[in-house]
Structures are given as structure tokens and as C-alpha cells.
Amino acid sequence: MNVRRILQPSSKFIKGFTVQCYSCRTSTTIADARNEPPLSADVKPFNQVPGPRGLYNIPYLGAAFHFKPFSKYQPGDVNIVLDNLKQKYGDIYKIQFGPNKMVILSHPDYAKTVLQAHYEQHEKIGFDISNIFHKRTKTTKGMVLLNGQEWAERRKPAQEKMLRPAVVASYVPLIESVTDDFIKVLRKKTKVDDLLYELLNYTTESVGMLTLNKRLGCLDTEKNTPAVVASIIRNVLDMFQEALFMPFKSYLYFRTPFYKRFEENMLKFGEIVNAELALQKDFLTKLQHEGKLDEYLEKEPNFMYSLLSDSRVTDDQVNSIVMDLFGAGIDSSANTLVFLLYQLAVNQDKQSNLFEEINKVVGNSQTLTKEHLANMSYMKACLKESHSASIPRFQPAPE
């Protein structure tokens, strides 16, 4: 099956298609390339893309038949359901999603073909529950809900302050302190029952240190409960996923109990971020009045200050950017680490090679530097390979 031919838009067969790039949570984009000329005259019609048939194709209800009470799977088992469908239909298949069809790409090369298109050719799938939340509360939408030029303009300030290699390198000492504490926590345990849970604590603490410039307490072993912000984020992510596959979205018309819980968590999260924004502004203003701001920023990079001092970004937008980073960074980073560690565990020779590189580059140094990271080419290769390596497969679910 040729991805370019299957997915090539054609005014005769395909007016647009939906592509979902799936992690352990749901990350979605719609690639709308209706104005692109076909690569070949041999374009296959959309109806030839394989996928579940019959009841599974009923608008709105179709997705529900993949889960209880119609199957053995809960909404949280969506990764198993999608993997089962991949086993049955291949790396490209379609499913019913709300009123529309969604094409799932399970091969990284296919996703690359779609995602390399210009941002104006992509439109994110609508997160209904988020859109109705911002409409009802009149709060600023985050980047995850924006498209086109509006998305590009909002993303640019954050991209400049977070994605450039030189900028990322400046945050190494901050994240290293979190990593050291995480290793100490693991060493105190005789057994780790749920590594993903532990990594979620680690990534939550890391994102908090990066965005809010403070420790959240997610690695505090003396506490019996996770940090408040961690609990809120996980509640929101779980509700996002549940809302995504909910057959009847009554929360769009009524303030249902489910929606009220979502709104309560979102507003609480916004209050926490706003409170941190106020504290950071007061702290940085104090340093500026004392003539110590430049000295402080040289020693300790401050992501929030870099946003607050950018005239292109309002305080409300800073709030939404920080909330986006929490929502997008915690889960995706933890899953990335799980995939990497799994692949290293099942490929002991590669793990040994990586260990040798770390010993050679870092040696007896007690701290990790940006220079160390720049010289670890094998580590980068392992990370990239883990993104495309296959993961354990599941048996197909009974139809």
C-alpha cells in the first residue's frame, strides 16, 4: 500500500482526510490538502482505505462500539484498541470518529509525509470540550486549539524561548537537579510497580521547574498524595480522552456533571498558573528595582520571565502557553522515556553501547553539561530509534 497514493488528495475522490498521530494519550491533527495537485493520476478512492465496517461506521456512535459494554475495553484502553486495528488492517486504516472518518497512520514514515506539509495545510481536530469551556468561561484559548496564522503567531514566542538548541541547553542545570532527585527516589525503592507513574511524577516536576521555575513536590517521598497540579493535569488528560470518544456529547448543550468536573479542574489549574505568574512578576520586579535582575538571569534561566518580557505576548497568553506546556509536555515526555527504556531493556547490546558512551563522555563529572549532551551522538540515535521501533502487540479484539 503506497501512502502517497492512498492519502493523495483528489477533488474526485477525497475532499480532505483526517490523520491521527497516536501516543499513549491522543494527539491529533487534520491535514487538509484539498488545494494540492495530485502526485499521480493513479489516486485510490477514499473508500478503499481499510477499516471496521457495519455498526462501527454509524456517525457519532461508531467509536463507542470499540469499548464497553460492546467490547472488553475501557476508554483508557484506546491504545490497545488502535493497536488491534493496526494488526487487522495495517499501517493505514480508517475509523468512525464523531460525524467524520479518521485515517490512522501507524508508521512513522507515513506520519512524516503528512506532517512535513506547511502548517497552513493542517487543521487540528476540534477538542469540543475545550472549545465549549473557553466559550463559557471567556478564557484565552491555548495553542492546541489554534490553527493557521493565529497558531503560528502564538507559537513563535514560545518556540524561540524553548526549542532552539542553545536555549534548551541553558535549562540543563535546572532539569539535572530534578533528575538527581528522581534517581534518589528510585534507589530507595526495592521494586517499581508502575514505571510510567514514576516517570509522570518526574516529567511533571521537570515541566514545573522549567515553566514556573519552582519545585512542585511531585518527587517528595514523604507525601502520601501527588502534588495538586499533578493531580489536576492527570484528571484533565483523562477527561480529554473520555470526551474524545464519548458518543453523545451532551456537555456541548448542558453543563453536565462530567463537564462541571472538567471546568472545575481547568479553572483550578488556571488559578495556580496565574498565582505563579503574579509571584514571578513580583519577584522579578523586586530584583529589577534592586539592580540584580541581569545577574540573576545569567545564573538561572527563567522561561516565564522571557515570556513576560516579550511585548508580543499578553499575560493571558503567557498563562495559556504555560498550561499548554504542562498538558503537552508531561504525558508525551513520560511516554517517550518509557519507549526508550523498554527498547534499551530488550536490546541489551545497545544498552551496553550507550553506557560506554556515557562513561566516555561524562566520566567522573558530578554534573551534566550542554557540552556532554552535544557529544552523545549514540544517545540521540537511541532516542530517535525508540520513536520508530515497534512496541509489544496485542491480540485483535473480537468484532
Side-chain angles (χ1 to χ4, degrees):
M1 186 180 295
N2 188 311
V3 65
R4 288 184 176 275
R5 292 190 176 185
I6 285 287
L7 295 182
Q8 174 59 39
S10 163
S11 58
K12 182 177 180 181
F13 296 116
I14 309 175
K15 294 183 178 179
F17 53 83
T18 303
V19 177
Q20 171 160 327
C21 297
Y22 181 74
S23 177
C24 285
R25 301 276 182 192
T26 306
S27 174
T28 319
T29 180
I30 295 175
D32 184 357
R34 285 171 286 189
N35 297 322
E36 288 294 297
L39 295 175
S40 163
D42 184 24
V43 177
K44 295 183 182 293
F46 186 78
N47 59 23
Q48 286 190 22
V49 179
R53 299 179 181 276
L55 295 175
Y56 294 100
N57 286 319
I58 298 176
Y60 295 101
L61 284 174
F65 286 104
H66 293 288
F67 304 99
K68 284 187 175 181
F70 307 103
S71 80
K72 63 181 180 180
Y73 298 113
Q74 300 280 2
D77 298 324
V78 63
N79 59 319
I80 302 177
V81 172
L82 293 179
D83 196 77
N84 289 339
L85 293 173
K86 168 187 163 60
Q87 294 298 306
K88 185 171 184 178
Y89 299 108
D91 286 325
I92 303 176
Y93 60 90
K94 64 186 177 186
I95 62 173
Q96 188 69 36
F97 187 80
N100 305 309
K101 289 287 192 297
M102 174 181 287
V103 174
I104 310 293
L105 302 184
S106 297
H107 195 287
D109 289 344
Y110 299 167
K112 179 181 177 182
T113 298
V114 175
L115 295 175
Q116 280 184 331
H118 192 270
Y119 72 82
E120 290 182 347
Q121 292 178 282
H122 289 262
E123 181 182 347
K124 298 184 182 73
I125 192 168
F127 289 99
D128 294 330
I129 194 164
S130 289
N131 284 321
I132 197 66
F133 164 77
H134 288 293
K135 182 178 179 180
R136 287 171 178 166
T137 59
K138 303 187 186 309
T139 49
T140 301
K141 288 184 178 182
M143 282 185 287
V144 71
L145 300 176
L146 303 179
N147 288 293
Q149 188 61 34
E150 188 179 12
W151 168 84
E153 290 176 356
R154 180 75 62 81
R155 183 178 187 269
K156 190 174 182 180
Q159 180 181 15
E160 292 172 354
K161 297 164 178 60
M162 182 163 285
L163 298 183
R164 291 178 178 174
V167 176
V168 172
S170 67
Y171 292 108
V172 169
L174 295 181
I175 303 304
E176 184 186 27
S177 66
V178 179
T179 305
D180 287 343
D181 286 349
F182 177 60
I183 298 301
K184 291 176 184 177
V185 168
L186 290 183
R187 283 176 173 167
K188 290 179 180 179
K189 297 178 181 290
T190 56
K191 179 182 177 182
V192 176
D193 295 317
D194 188 342
L195 181 59
L196 181 58
Y197 175 81
E198 302 292 345
L199 288 171
L200 284 169
N201 282 333
Y202 166 63
T203 54
T204 303
E205 191 76 5
S206 297
V207 174
M209 191 66 182
L210 178 65
T211 57
L212 304 179
N213 217 51
K214 67 175 293 184
R215 298 297 291 266
L216 300 175
C218 299
L219 302 178
D220 188 347
T221 56
E222 303 302 319
K223 291 183 178 180
N224 294 322
T225 57
V228 174
V229 68
S231 297
I232 291 174
I233 287 296
R234 291 171 198 177
N235 288 340
V236 168
L237 289 173
D238 287 341
M239 295 181 79
F240 262 134
Q241 183 165 291
E242 186 176 348
L244 205 59
F245 290 93
M246 195 176 286
F248 299 108
K249 301 182 186 295
S250 52
Y251 58 77
L252 294 175
Y253 312 101
F254 310 101
R255 293 173 58 84
T256 62
F258 174 80
Y259 170 79
K260 288 178 180 178
R261 293 198 307 274
F262 179 82
E263 183 179 279
E264 180 182 357
N265 278 278
M266 287 293 288
L267 290 176
K268 181 65 176 176
F269 186 28
E271 289 172 4
I272 292 173
V273 175
N274 273 329
E276 293 299 331
L277 276 172
L279 289 173
Q280 283 287 311
K281 289 175 76 173
D282 289 344
F283 172 67
L284 294 167
T285 299
K286 181 176 180 292
L287 287 178
Q288 190 172 30
H289 288 161
E290 295 173 353
K292 299 178 181 178
L293 182 58
D294 291 339
E295 180 184 355
Y296 165 75
L297 294 175
E298 284 180 8
K299 294 180 180 178
E300 190 169 348
N302 190 304
F303 175 74
M304 190 175 287
Y305 173 76
S306 65
L307 287 176
L308 290 169
S309 61
D310 193 323
S311 59
R312 296 170 296 177
V313 187
T314 66
D315 283 3
D316 284 343
Q317 290 173 344
V318 173
N319 180 290
S320 70
I321 289 172
V322 171
M323 291 179 71
D324 279 347
L325 288 172
F326 265 98
I330 292 171
D331 204 64
S332 59
S333 297
N335 284 316
T336 296
L337 288 170
V338 165
F339 294 145
L340 173 61
L341 293 172
Y342 170 78
Q343 291 299 331
L344 289 173
V346 298
N347 294 280
Q348 292 287 312
D349 57 329
K350 307 303 186 296
Q351 184 179 150
S352 297
N353 292 341
L354 178 58
F355 182 70
E356 289 177 8
E357 180 183 72
I358 293 172
N359 275 335
K360 180 180 178 181
V361 174
V362 180
N364 296 322
S365 175
Q366 297 300 306
T367 59
L368 188 68
T369 66
K370 59 183 181 182
E371 288 77 19
H372 289 148
L373 292 176
N375 290 321
M376 287 195 229
S377 57
Y378 194 79
M379 182 190 69
K380 295 173 186 175
C382 289
L383 182 60
K384 289 180 179 179
E385 186 66 21
S386 72
H387 289 166
S388 59
S390 60
I391 59 174
R393 299 304 178 195
F394 302 88
Q395 293 299 316
E399 298 253 344

